[in-house]
Amino acid sequence: MNLTLLSNWSVFHNKQKLHFLGKLMTITFLMISLSTTAFAQTVVKGIIYDNDKLPLVGATIQVAGTNVKAQTDAEGKYQIAVPSATSRLIVSFVGFESQTVSVNNQTLVNVTLASLNNLDAVVVVGYASVKKSDLTGAATTVSAKDFNKGPLNAPDQLIQGKVAGVQMINNSGQPGGASTVRIRGNSAITGSGQPLYVVDGVALDGRSARPSTSAGIGIAPDGNPLNFINPADIESMEILKDASATAIYGSRAAYGVVLITTKRGKSGDAKIDISASAGVGTISRRVDVLSGDEYRAALRKYGLTAGDFGTSVNALDEVLRTAYNQNYSVGISGGTNGNTFRASLGYQNQQGIIKGSDFKKYSAGFNGNFKFLDSKKLGLDVNMISNQYLESIAPITTDAGFTGSLISQALAWNPTQSFYNPDGSLFIDYGSTTINPLAALAANSDKAKVSTILGSVSPYYKITPWLEYRMLASVNYSTGIRRASTRSTLNLQGIQPSGDFLGGYASYSNTELITQQFTNTLNFNKEIVSKLNLNAVVGYEYSSFVNKGAVNTATGFGNIAVDYTDAFEATLPANRTLVTNNDPTTELQSYFGRAIFNYDNKYILTATFRADGSTKFGTNNKYGYFPSFAAAWDIKKESFLSDVQWINLLKIRAGHGKTGNQDFPSGSSQQRFVIRGVDGLVGINNANPDLKWQEDKQTNVGIDFGFLGSRLTGSIDYFNKVTTDLLFPQNAFSPAAPNGVITWYNLDGEVQNKGLELSLNGSIIEKDNLSWSLGGNVTFIKNNVSNLTGLIRTGSLSGQGLSGVNLEVIQNGLPLFAMVTRQYNGLDANGFSTYTDDGFTRYYLGNPNPKVILGLTTSLRYKKFSFTANLNGSFGQSIYNNTANSVLAISNLGTRNISSALVNSSIQESLANPIAASSRYIEKGDYVKLANATINYNVGNIGKAIKSLNIFVNGQNLFVITNYTGFDPEVNVNKSINGVPSAGIDYTAYPTARTFNFGVNFSL
């Protein structure tokens, strides 16, 4: 239309109109030019990465000075229009330091955000949060992206090999089995020696509700008390190692503290996170025993005519299987206006590699963070974890005698003898002490069910921007039921029929644990004068602990066609027992405070104090007092280093403090009795009004550093921890006699752990499509006992010829649990063992405490592929191979199997060589294990529904480099005596599995 108008005007040759036309065209040209300039914006693209060069999904990119924003997609990519080639972009993501970058005429701008974990992240250090730069103690954070991957049962497995100074051992390969976690060495002469675990502010009591009573064949290995937590729900784990960091937890912090923070919801649209995996597992390493043909050759070598039954079998293979596992986890989260929530469901089904054993877990969780009032000063945090797990437990015990348990029965089975009779029934040799392992499996049933609910509510009110009151109330309720039986068909003494005794054994037991915690805190965080900031917390806490249960046993069922645990009434009343227990309720009342002074972000001083009063201790020492002090100097902030570009962090820390231990039975300071039938009241514990707290005093000096744009970061720490006033049970004779009346005392001795920790992390390659990082930690540690009167024996050995034999001692001048035994000097010409001083003198010959602990992690990314591997190891420790000592001895030849090594000796060992404990069975326990490796492929978004699809393949226990001849050098069978723990003894433990898993995770 405009063109037509202009055309009409052009027919008039009028100067005025031509002049007007010229003006109109000029104005139109200018408007078009301005419009073109306004709409010819530059489009900038790129990828946002984290420190590990992994793409950040959902990062925000905003054009500075405008409201123009964009977010990264599932591959970390973004696209945004900027008004000018010189515009600036503000890039931000929760948990990372925001960064402003200039476009500078570029159309491709990639940005790497620094995690606040490495800068000024807010970390939880006990009852409050502080900036990481304000920390003066030794503390390490492991976030979810750095956890070990795979079908893990409990949270402690997530951090194996990840933290300097922390050793985590899976005691056996049993699914759901117990682990040993040591932070800065071993100092426990009673109790577990495990760290205190705190879940979202709620301290756990460290016990499992799974009853310990088994199927009448011995003591079964423990379960893991952390099994009730779904590892998929954990956001991060903070490990507090020195007294400056742990003193706020006072009497329960002697062995370190692990703070577990679960995942939280974030404001925004509702989001569903889904993870699913499945895998297979097989035995990772074997113990070398003779095959059928090798056994026949050994019989000929020794001139034996009996013992060859004409076939070839592998008993271990018969009790093992390829085990399958499934893991599913769903999380739903979201929120608006600062009110957020997250709900989760989890299911795990893990078969054990031993037939009939498995572990199933059902878990659910919910947490909500809500704010009220127009001011949003009033808030409420709600947390709940509910869990039930079911175990089918293999007939493996820690104290099996001559007849053994399943693993020893399989290893020692004559490899030329069939498991079956000609008619296909199981071969059972009644009257013999040789047990058919398949018959043992068929006769055994051992099932446990543990249900746990951990709930807490935490209202808070922000009085001012710098002062907040918070209350937390929590209940942790856990109950366990265990039904175990061994049928009368098994030819085991006390189980098989004899005379009028019909045979068979059953137990039904239950345990109930209740922990209540009420905490009130007042948090202060304010600049009190120019450049001086005070971050302080004061609080009061009350906790109570209840432990009660019952054990029913019965014998003499005969071969009835029902589960024994459903038919106790089928036995004679004289064959039944009922024992109940209800420990005295333990109460803990605490007052605590901590103040962190930060002057000019350079000089930091921390002071902590806690007073704990416990009903466990004597009337004269109810309260214990636990102070600590620490200081730090951020040298990088000084003027003489502020301009040094290659130094990003240089901080010195030093601290000293005291923590305590009350990890011993409730009522130990009181006079206690039990009622035992016709005997009436029977004493079990004498009163000691002077019983006081065991104390740990620790000094720590450390340095944190970051160089080359923080591409190289790390820390070095020296620590010296001394444990005094050792809690120990005694009677008139030491060690305490079984079933004797004991008195708990504080011993005069000391246990010292000192050493050096080094952590180092490097980003070696940082490119858009390729990155490689390498991180490691190493700990050098020495353990020693001093000023102890007498010695304490522990470390019982089991099996043929070893009844009543103890291996380990706690004694002056030696490390904790020193191995003291005969010094083996080889075989003489007649094939008999020779010993120094003919074996009459025992020598210190082995140390089960490692001298070096190692962890190594590497991550490699190429485009959408990534690979992560985690190795761990330890060096300098000894392992006593109780299995080789008593189960596979040369004297077995002709009836049972033997170790392959025995027939290859240059001197033929005599069949009459007695079984005896000696240094012959002390082996080097050094190892390096590829414990975890994962390959990921980041598919990204699929359509509009599926987001951040990731496919992974994971392997666990892929290989181990070691000279140890047992199943696995990562082993710690419980061989305690009268509550005194042991270390480094291997006895027919459940073998470790090598697993391969395939899985996916994505969001909706």
Side-chain angles (χ1 to χ4, degrees), residues 351-382:
Q351 290 184 335
I353 58 172
I354 290 178
K355 292 177 179 177
S357 64
D358 59 42
F359 179 87
K360 295 180 181 179
K361 180 160 70 173
Y362 307 86
S363 58
F366 175 82
N367 63 66
N369 308 99
F370 308 105
K371 294 181 180 180
F372 306 95
L373 308 180
D374 291 340
S375 63
K376 304 298 183 183
K377 291 183 176 181
L378 178 64
L380 177 67
D381 295 340
V382 179

Side-chain angles (χ1 to χ4, degrees), residues 41 49 221 233 245 252 273 297 539 612 629 678 757 942 989:
Q41 297 172 313
Y49 297 106
D233 286 340
R252 291 183 286 173
D273 297 312
D612 277 334
F629 302 91
V678 296
E757 299 171 352
I942 298 181

Side-chain angles (χ1 to χ4, degrees), residues 807-808 817-821 843-846 848 878-880 922 983-984:
L807 174 72
E808 298 177 338
F817 313 125
M819 295 177 179
V820 176
T821 186
Y843 298 90
Y844 164 51
L845 297 167
S878 302
I879 299 176
Y880 192 88
I922 296 177

Side-chain angles (χ1 to χ4, degrees), residues 119 633-652 703-713:
L119 295 167
W633 176 26
D634 193 340
I635 307 174
K636 169 60 181 175
K637 299 290 180 62
E638 297 291 352
S639 57
F640 56 83
L641 279 183
S642 59
D643 294 331
V644 180
Q645 298 299 315
W646 63 274
I647 299 179
N648 306 99
L649 171 65
L650 191 62
K651 178 179 174 183
I652 297 175
I703 182 170
D704 303 320
F705 55 85
F707 304 134
L708 306 175
S710 295
R711 293 184 65 174
L712 180 65
T713 60

